[in-house]
Amino acid sequence: MEPVCLVEPVPSSGALRVNPAALGLLRGLTRPLHVLAVFGPRGTGKSFLMDRLAGQGEGFPCSPGIWVWCLPHPTQPDQALVLLDTEGFPEQEGDKTKLSQLFLLNVLLSSVLVYNTRSEGDPQRQLDRLTYVRDLPQVVQVLDECSWENSFLLSSVLPSFVWCLRDVAPDPCLDEVLEATGHELDSALSSPQDLEDSPSSCVQRLFPCRKLFRFCSPRVDGGHVLADFLERVVDLLSRDKPVLLSEICNDLQQEGDDYSVGYPMDPTGGAPPRRAAASDAQPLVPEPKRERVVPLQAFRPAAPVLAQASPGTAQPGAMEEPMCLIENWPGGELQLNQRALGLLQSFRQPVVVVAIAGLYRTGKSYLLNRLAGKDRGGFSLGATMHIWMWCLPHPRRAGHTLVLLDTEGLGDVEKGDTKNDAWIFALAVLLSGTLVYNSLGTIDQCALEQLHYVTELTERIKVKAAGEGGQQEGEDSAEFVRFFPAFVWAVRDFTLQLKLDGREITEDEYLENALKRREGQPEKLDLPKKYLRQYFPSRKCFVFDRPAPRCDLPRLDELPEAALSPEFLEQAQRFCSHVHQHAGTKTLPGGHVVTGTLLGTLAVTCVDAIRSGAVPCMESAVLALAQMENSAAVGEAVAVYEEQLARRAALPTESVQELLELHAQCEREALRAFMARAFKDEEQQYQWQLKDKLDSKRSELCHRNELASSDRCTAALMELSQELEERVCEGSYSVPGGYQHLLDDQREMVEKYQLVPGKGIMAAEVLQQFLKSKETVAQAVLQTDQSLTDRQREIEEERTRAEAAEREAQLCQEMQTRTEQLLQDQERSHEEHVRQLTAKMEEDRRQLLAEQQRALALKLQEQEQLLREGFRGEVAQLGQQMQNLRKEMSRPQRSRCVVC
């Protein structure tokens, strides 16, 4: 899998909510877990560090909330590694409540908490930015009594604390100390501060195990525990309730989960030992959480099994076996399997979706197993219930995932619910890019009548939302052709000769002949042909001989290929080759490519609509998908910016122009990433969000650059002025002529300072501040220098003021130049946004026109066929639809460049 959002803030209220899909993934993990969480300021490379731990080039997006990535442990094959990446906190305090809650979740869920910062100035100052640690004893309680010992008990529950200090200058002495002390954190810090509630003091009090770059043992034996624990904590936080660990533990135990919450339990079942008795007891050692294994019911889908991707590829792990995606329980209640949904949404590649539908017990599953390249195992043969899913690397398209959907058989008399069959068929149409309809025998009138679900699609699918332009049902269904899948009719156990009027015909010609319409034919016989041709103008047909004797058909998947009909094997090979080569990538209206993430959300939208008694509306679904995808595109673009910055940045830069060029390069790549993923952002709402975020990133970058330059300049001046300071303290300048000696030494120091490389843009300002701070000393030496007359002292004072004024003027000029450069960069940034947006809009327009031209060509083809068959009235209706489509194609582009 790839990272998925686990906890996200609700945009309207700011409250936290848990993503059910991610919970489903966690509950599917039964192995012991190493849970590692990272927390820290923005722009410090947290996601990059986690991607390295995952062994991936890039994975975690830069998005709000907490993201989770479940992976096999790299060194412990019987365990799993769970990585939690949390949004960074800003330079200035923002929504402190939300960030405090996110920090609390990191602490409670992890076995190792990594605090990630950059080395900017005093390391102690970076640790003291972790102000959220102060809230832990107030919000989290181990017991509901004796609060005075809560901090002590918390220290036995909390994870190991690892401080990752990034971009540090080489310090062999400190490295040697850390190595000698086993990387103990305290060996790298100054003495504890006097303030008891300072962040560094809280860290030392609450986290007994404090390390630098050291990872410890796992705490959790299963993802189900972690998921249940997370749900309860988020619920308590949303209601501003204290997190009482003993109560949560008891609740989960009563539900059948036998584990402790991490603090030592009395073997007799009592509470944790009190502080008074701690000295006589064994040392407090946090116990791992334990989960009792509960066997799943036989009819529930099993946990997904993922094959490992080969190293160096972007392809995520494939499923080794199918699992149920949409459950269809007695009573007609459709329900998404959250574990399968979470797995599907973890595939961020484009998907080629092939669904199969047809009467029950007609061999649908066997065909899909052939498409999956599996002679054994795979989709279960027999009466399939629900909609099952199998995600595999596409055999012919690198970077694509093949999603196979096996639907339960239609027309099963034992179910007795034809309405539910119609919904299953509609879902297969909505979710797939290629729909295979499987039937037995021949395509005769009986077979067409059994395909009556096609005639009911207008009752199951809407293109436009209600009241949208006053569209009539016929006008609405005329749009189906623009997003319905390609249709493949697979005729099994075919016994006829492919001949017509004495000549051999192709399978496609056989299908088209069967779909010919005749005037005066009863509506019951004509409607399936009419709607199949109208809704699925892209059609293909394959016929199959019977693969084996009738007595062997129930165990078809167990037979060796030598026992199968050679003709059937050749026909099956042609079918698979066609699907692999010609089944297109799933797209939305407008041509936007669908990923596994989007496909999962589309399934949620459709099933929720059906469960609520409504009809799935494609326009509403696309808008919902666009909001989700565009929000993710903003996060991905910011992540690309930060990744590019981490690769290119070497702070401090020598000039503002150099820094702005660096920002421009990173911004350009971030915009490309956004444009590649975003769609239907017609008012550029999300591009504005990205622009605001990138502007903030530029401000942060400038601030970091100034801080890095200031620190380096200050360090250089402190080193160069050390000898001068010692002479002042010794009174070396308190002699006749001492003032001139002081000036000479200062000038020499300034000359050496000017030669120091890599000072950055703050060199002049820091020097000015430094010299200004020394004016009092210089004045004192000047006044006590007895070798100077009063007039000479006045001249020296005037000269000193003139030099200071000159430096101040130069500094003002530099600031003015810097401001002008920033304004120019804002204009450049605006032009880059406009340029890429214009290119994006033109590309979207080309895709839309291509889709419309394809629909027009197919309608024209159908019109010619209807004209030959004598359906004049329908020819006129189709002509009106084509005229409307041409008007839409010639209409000016509605979307305008708001960014301009």
Side-chain angles (χ1 to χ4, degrees), residues 328 334 357 387 408-411 415 417-430 450-461 610 616:
N328 182 20
L334 296 177
I387 296 180
E408 65 180 72
L410 307 174
K415 290 190 301 181
D417 188 354
T418 57
K419 180 180 179 181
N420 219 41
D421 281 350
W423 281 124
I424 292 292
F425 186 80
L427 283 171
V429 169
L430 287 169
Q450 290 171 341
L451 193 53
H452 62 87
Y453 307 102
V454 174
T455 67
E456 302 172 18
L457 287 176
T458 54
E459 302 172 15
R460 310 293 175 198
I461 301 172
I610 296 170

Side-chain angles (χ1 to χ4, degrees), residues 764-782:
E765 185 173 343
V766 171
L767 177 62
Q768 172 75 343
Q769 292 173 354
F770 177 82
L771 294 177
K772 198 168 185 179
S773 69
K774 303 302 178 184
E775 286 180 356
T776 303
V777 175
Q779 280 294 320
V781 173
L782 175 63

